[in-house]
Amino acid sequence: MRGPHNIWRLIRTGATFERTGAMSVALDAVNAPARVRLAARVLGWPFAWLGYRGDPSLPPVTRAITALGPAYIKFGQILSTRPDVVGVELANQLTMLQDRLPPFPLATARQIIADELHQPVEATFDEFSEAVAAASIAQVHRARRIDNGQEVAVKVLRPGIERAFSQDIDAFHFAASMIETISPSSRRLRPRDVVLHFESVVNGELDLRLEAASASKFAENTKSDEGMRVPKPHWHLGARRVLTCDWAEGLPLGDVEALKAAGHDTEALGQRILQLFLSHALRDGFFHADMHQGNLKVAENGDIIIYDFGIMGEIDEYTRRVYAEILMGFIQRDYERVARVHFEAGYVPRDRDMNEFARALRAVGEPIFGADASRISMANLLAYLFEVTERFGMATRTELILLQRTMVVVEGVARSLDPQINMWQVARPVVESYIRDSIGPRAMARDLVRTAGVYARFAPLIPEFLERRMPALLRGEDAAPQPRKRRLDPASLLTGAAIALGAALIGVWIG
């Protein structure tokens, strides 16, 4: 239950942050108001001796988070996707956060598998290794199916992890409520929503059937994409606490020297990573939201293997259409048009000045034209975009921030493979294809067909509906509550602009 009993957990957290030197770093990163700083110090400084020491070799915040355990490690990973909350610099540090937990015993893993699959491990696998990777929520074993000899990866949840996360998440909710109460200005960053998002992500990862579903959907969406591979789940060998999928054999994408030694073209790999991500986000609206080097391998034939589908991003078709308008506006350097679209859609509060907003967009877009794209930092551009967000009172929207953050991560991965990559030029064919397909004549024809289909399905109900509603409407009465008009969160500017930043430079090549 969320209540004062969580104060002890918060004290222990504050004490650990104080002892490791992370408190001031974290407070500065989120630009915490004076009252929040005071409350944090009160909960931390007097009790610093109670805090965990952590690993002194790590940066302060990473040191504190890893010392506090699995829930905090996972929360840090999620916060790495929220530079709007923790700042770009700290978000980049958290992206490098590694799970530094020892594996649980092999015998325990085997017992969990037996309980979940209702048969002993020996009846399912004729080979089953010690853990080859151990993370905050689960660990992975290499195994071989007894029925067909296929090598597979078996992911097993940590014992007792559900209860441990439940207790810590309860404390996170309590802390978020305290922050919003102490500092009303913090509500723009929606601390409670951040914790709710964290809770939803963790709940999804605590049910490995959902991760299997994400892997299956992602594989289906990308089955025609050349140069990539997705390990597919083995449904009959999975359950809530066990996930079995194809074994992914390959070199880690982060080991650039090994990739070169094996004869792989790292420049081509960098380009492919970027184009694949944009295709998944724009074309499919369903993308891997944790595409760091640890979740990517390169097969012997050069295919990029993508795995670990615990965190996925999703964007609906309507939102992607809005991005198309933003992209076109940036490509044409028509910032007044982009501003008008956002005001008409209600993204920006009506009491803000449209011309001032257009000037802010110009300040974001114009530096791109004529610049050396290989030296443009997406992280710096996003930092300025977040300033624009605050200035115009736009609230945040989690799935859109996920897209922005993943773009930064993918850029970093691509640059690690090719430091001179011009990400905007590489993105050009993908973005152009999306614009052509989403707002061109073919898209309009598809919309008309879909609209006609909807009318056809509901046509039998229209006469009865009109008979019931028309008399009240003619009398000027509101006989039924009106549906709330759909409005996208104002923060969609940011994600659209994040993509549009690439498209803006594309204008250099378009002409």
Side-chain angles (χ1 to χ4, degrees), residues 81 99 151 178-179 252 258 270 279 318 374 402 438-439 509:
T81 69
D99 293 327
E151 277 197 300
M178 286 184 58
I179 291 172
S279 292
Y318 179 81
S374 65
L402 272 177
S438 64
I439 63 176
W509 290 279

Side-chain angles (χ1 to χ4, degrees), residues 351-398:
D351 60 347
R352 304 307 167 111
D353 185 271
M354 186 183 300
N355 293 327
E356 182 182 354
F357 181 61
R359 286 195 296 273
L361 293 175
R362 182 178 294 274
V364 173
E366 282 301 302
I368 297 175
F369 290 96
D372 180 357
S374 65
R375 299 203 316 239
I376 293 175
S377 167
M378 176 63 77
N380 292 338
L381 291 172
L382 284 178
Y384 182 76
L385 283 172
F386 291 133
E387 292 179 22
V388 174
T389 300
E390 184 173 6
R391 187 187 314 163
F392 287 90
M394 302 179 199
T396 57
R397 182 171 168 178
T398 304

Side-chain angles (χ1 to χ4, degrees), residues 10-43:
L10 298 182
I11 288 176
R12 194 67 180 266
T13 300
T16 300
F17 268 69
E18 283 287 352
R19 184 172 182 178
T20 57
M23 184 67 80
S24 59
V25 176
L27 293 174
D28 290 342
V30 299
N31 194 25
R35 284 180 290 182
V36 173
R37 291 176 183 269
L38 177 61
R41 293 293 185 181
V42 168
L43 285 172

Side-chain angles (χ1 to χ4, degrees), residues 87-203:
V88 173
E89 183 177 352
L90 182 55
N92 288 335
Q93 289 183 23
L94 293 175
T95 299
M96 306 303 294
L97 188 65
Q98 300 295 320
D99 293 327
R100 295 172 176 265
L101 297 177
F104 54 88
L106 177 63
T108 303
R110 294 172 70 94
Q111 185 59 52
I112 292 173
I113 293 172
D115 292 342
E116 291 290 311
L117 301 185
H118 308 294
Q119 58 184 353
V121 171
E122 293 79 7
T124 308
F125 306 107
D126 57 10
E127 294 180 17
F128 193 85
S129 75
E130 294 281 350
V132 296
S136 58
I137 286 180
Q139 66 186 35
V140 177
H141 301 261
R142 188 171 184 170
R144 186 181 300 276
R145 286 178 50 173
I146 199 169
D147 56 348
N148 60 12
Q150 182 179 356
E151 277 197 300
V152 292
V154 183
K155 188 172 185 178
V156 187
L157 285 186
R158 285 184 172 273
I161 194 68
E162 297 94 338
R163 185 172 183 274
F165 267 88
S166 177
Q167 292 177 341
D168 284 331
I169 289 173
D170 190 49
F172 294 162
H173 278 293
F174 183 71
S177 298
M178 286 184 58
I179 291 172
E180 290 195 7
T181 300
I182 294 171
S183 176
S185 63
S186 69
R187 293 171 187 167
R188 186 192 73 85
L189 296 177
R190 299 182 178 180
R192 297 185 192 185
D193 287 351
V194 172
V195 176
L196 282 172
H197 169 61
F198 170 65
E199 185 175 15
S200 68
V201 169
V202 167
N203 286 339

Side-chain angles (χ1 to χ4, degrees), residues 195-237:
V195 176
L196 282 172
H197 169 61
F198 170 65
E199 185 175 15
S200 68
V201 169
V202 167
N203 286 339
E205 291 195 78
L206 291 177
D207 187 342
L208 295 181
R209 293 169 299 188
L210 298 179
E211 182 175 339
S214 294
S216 177
K217 179 178 179 180
F218 191 77
E220 184 177 333
N221 288 348
T222 62
K223 60 186 177 183
S224 299
D225 291 352
E226 295 183 1
M228 69 164 285
R229 188 189 308 171
V230 178
K232 296 182 180 180
H234 298 214
W235 288 103
H236 68 290
L237 296 178

Side-chain angles (χ1 to χ4, degrees), residues 321 324 433-447:
R321 293 287 181 88
S433 175
Y434 171 71
I435 292 174
R436 181 176 60 251
D437 293 342
S438 64
I439 63 176
R442 284 182 293 177
M444 185 179 298
R446 289 197 304 268
D447 288 345

